[in-house]
Amino acid sequence: MALQDEFVERIQEHRLLLNKLVFLYADQAEDRNDLRQEILLQAWRSYPNYRAEARFSTWLYRLGLNVALTMLAQAKRTQFSELTDGPPGDGNQFETDDQLQVVLRQLGPIDRTLLVMSMEGYNDVEISETLGISPGNTRTKLHRIRQKIGQLWT
């Protein structure tokens, strides 16, 4: 099977994971499309170096997370520049009243990823490998996130 065909097949198998990442880190439809395209582009560029030491989903999650965090950082720099150079914007507002979405948006990007990966059934080791933190730190962070959600959910 050609590399391109193999890549497309794997991406198709993991399209739900990709959709979850995109919806976690982008509020607007246009931003979601941009993020999806950037993740796919970076995944295609990096795919020849994929060594299968971890599951493909873990590799894609980590790559997608890095792309999302990079794009968030760029957006913050742009927002700061616009705030100092131009008229104030209306901020980041939610378009849905879905309580889970609201709670997730109140978590930081890493905490959001930790929680979603845990909800998807990834174990502490897989989460720690994806995020580059220790399994013990993963468990501690998850415990604190769950406590915080308990406070936010009410």
Side-chain angles (χ1 to χ4, degrees), residues 68-143:
L69 293 177
T70 299
M71 288 184 79
L72 282 174
Q74 290 171 347
K76 283 183 183 181
R77 283 192 296 272
T78 301
Q79 279 181 337
F80 179 76
S81 174
E82 289 172 356
L83 286 174
T84 57
D85 295 339
D90 61 356
N92 182 15
Q93 301 200 355
F94 299 107
E95 294 182 6
T96 178
D97 60 346
D98 178 38
Q99 195 171 10
L100 177 60
Q101 189 71 8
V102 171
V103 169
L104 283 173
R105 291 285 179 211
Q106 292 181 37
L107 298 174
I110 299 297
D111 290 351
R112 206 178 307 159
T113 301
L114 271 162
L115 180 64
V116 171
M117 288 185 78
S118 176
M119 290 169 57
E120 290 177 349
Y122 288 89
N123 65 41
D124 294 343
V125 173
E126 291 169 322
I127 295 171
S128 66
E129 288 173 356
T130 301
L131 298 177
I133 59 177
S134 72
N137 194 1
T138 298
R139 286 187 292 278
T140 300
K141 284 182 170 287
L142 280 170
H143 177 71

Side-chain angles (χ1 to χ4, degrees), residues 25-102:
Y25 294 102
D27 293 329
Q28 307 297 321
E30 184 177 313
D31 295 336
R32 287 191 292 266
N33 288 335
D34 289 346
L35 180 56
R36 180 179 285 107
Q37 287 179 357
E38 188 63 26
I39 291 171
L40 289 172
L41 175 64
Q42 295 303 323
W44 171 245
R45 287 179 177 166
S46 301
Y47 188 66
N49 298 324
Y50 171 65
R51 296 182 304 250
E53 292 173 359
R55 293 187 315 185
F56 182 78
S57 61
T58 302
W59 176 83
L60 184 61
Y61 221 121
R62 185 174 194 141
L63 184 138
L65 176 62
N66 287 336
V67 170
L69 293 177
T70 299
M71 288 184 79
L72 282 174
Q74 290 171 347
K76 283 183 183 181
R77 283 192 296 272
T78 301
Q79 279 181 337
F80 179 76
S81 174
E82 289 172 356
L83 286 174
T84 57
D85 295 339
D90 61 356
N92 182 15
Q93 301 200 355
F94 299 107
E95 294 182 6
T96 178
D97 60 346
D98 178 38
Q99 195 171 10
L100 177 60
Q101 189 71 8
V102 171

